[in-house]
Amino acid sequence: MRELTADGIDVVRVSYPDLIGIERARDVLVERLPGAVGHGLSFCRAVYHTTPQGDTVEVPGGMDAGLPDIRVRPDLSTVAKIPWEEGVASCLGEAYEPSGDDLCPEGPREVLRRALAKLGELGLNVVAGPEFEYYLCEPDPASPTGWRPYADAPGNVYTSSRKGDPDGHVLRVLRHLRDFGLDVTMGNHEFGGGQFEINLHHSDALDAADRAFRFKTAVQEIARTEGRLATFMAKPFNDQDGSGFHVHLSCLDADGRNVFEGSQGDGLSETAHHAIGGVLEHAPALAALLNPTINSYKRFGPDSLAPWLIDWGLDNRSSMVRIPPERGAATRMEVRLGDASANPYLGIAGLVAAVYLGVRDKASTPPPLEGYGYDAAKSPALPRDLSAALDALAADEALVEVLGEQFVTAFLTYKRDEVRRFSRHVTDWEFREYSYHL
């Protein structure tokens, strides 16, 4: 409290992720922080099961149990001053059961810890490097959505400077996120008009997920201070590319050695091949976690650079799992399956679980993809919609066991409600397609 007060901080924002990665939070006056640490902050458990539109889904343990509380305790090791909000610091919260003794099993941080613990039984730890793309939008009353892409001149692919970012948004975000302690490294304009990418440095998987969660929230908040909208939707615009969430992943042994490094012809170890095989084998179920919305599956398709086939390749960006060309301590896989709407904790937890199962079961890998991909005759396809992906997750008993049955039940119930609601909704496309002639 003395340190915060001396730094001009009088409020601490305690935040934690819900099932889909939305920040849930409470602002605590500094003088009230000891009580928040000791007892925890009470939140209705159904916050985990609340949709983006504010409706509560009937997930077991929520409404059926009388809407009980959870306790969220500040993790003071994560306190950081918010550079764009005067007098406010932020920290992550740990979600506990009402007794205050056990962590909530559907809490995304706990789901990731559970997967890491299973991999730890094999003497391995995961290093992850997340990459996110997002669209920055400006208000547009004439648009049906109320928004249009910011600075959307075509062809500003992999550019920086005012050419593709006339207001200096990326520079502002990079500096704020650096000062916020998120260990960002670089940023640029991406393929789509108004689309940007900012990279996070690699670290232990839980730390990487923590920083990824805070990164997404921070980018959205900074955009709001600019009067804009930053969206991590998978594909917000019909005529633009989708936004990805790529994860660079490697495994270290107890001595800190990268066990993916090998002496085989491709420079990969047997462990690396087993890990790749695990990701490929469980890819249909992983899609539910890494492509978790109705909108996610509109990002897929040939020539989109978004994988829709289950394959891997050596430095091949048209494959689902790409092995970058670096070797030695930098040997790693880049899983390109995810889109930016994914909850980073759950996406990384799914990958860790798949790697664990692949290494444990000594999963095999098919030959790597040669040339340009997207040939359905060469590789099996991923689920084509969210409903199929949820069915694949439900059927993957091994992955469910690692992630936790209570979490998976909550996630499936929540997401199947989303599918049902969308199936009853009349879209603008349907009215435009049918109304005049039919």
Side-chain angles (χ1 to χ4, degrees), residues 37-103:
V37 172
H39 177 272
L41 303 170
S42 295
F43 285 84
C44 178
R45 189 188 204 103
V47 169
Y48 276 134
H49 321 139
T50 301
T51 73
Q53 297 303 308
D55 301 313
T56 301
V57 181
E58 294 186 18
V59 173
M63 294 179 70
D64 65 333
L67 299 172
D69 273 351
I70 58 173
R71 291 192 197 181
V72 176
R73 289 193 175 125
D75 179 352
L76 297 184
S77 70
T78 66
V79 171
K81 185 176 182 179
I82 299 178
W84 58 91
E85 194 153 6
E86 185 176 356
V88 182
S90 167
C91 76
L92 295 173
E94 289 283 16
Y96 287 83
E97 296 287 1
S99 66
D101 298 325
D102 299 318
L103 290 162

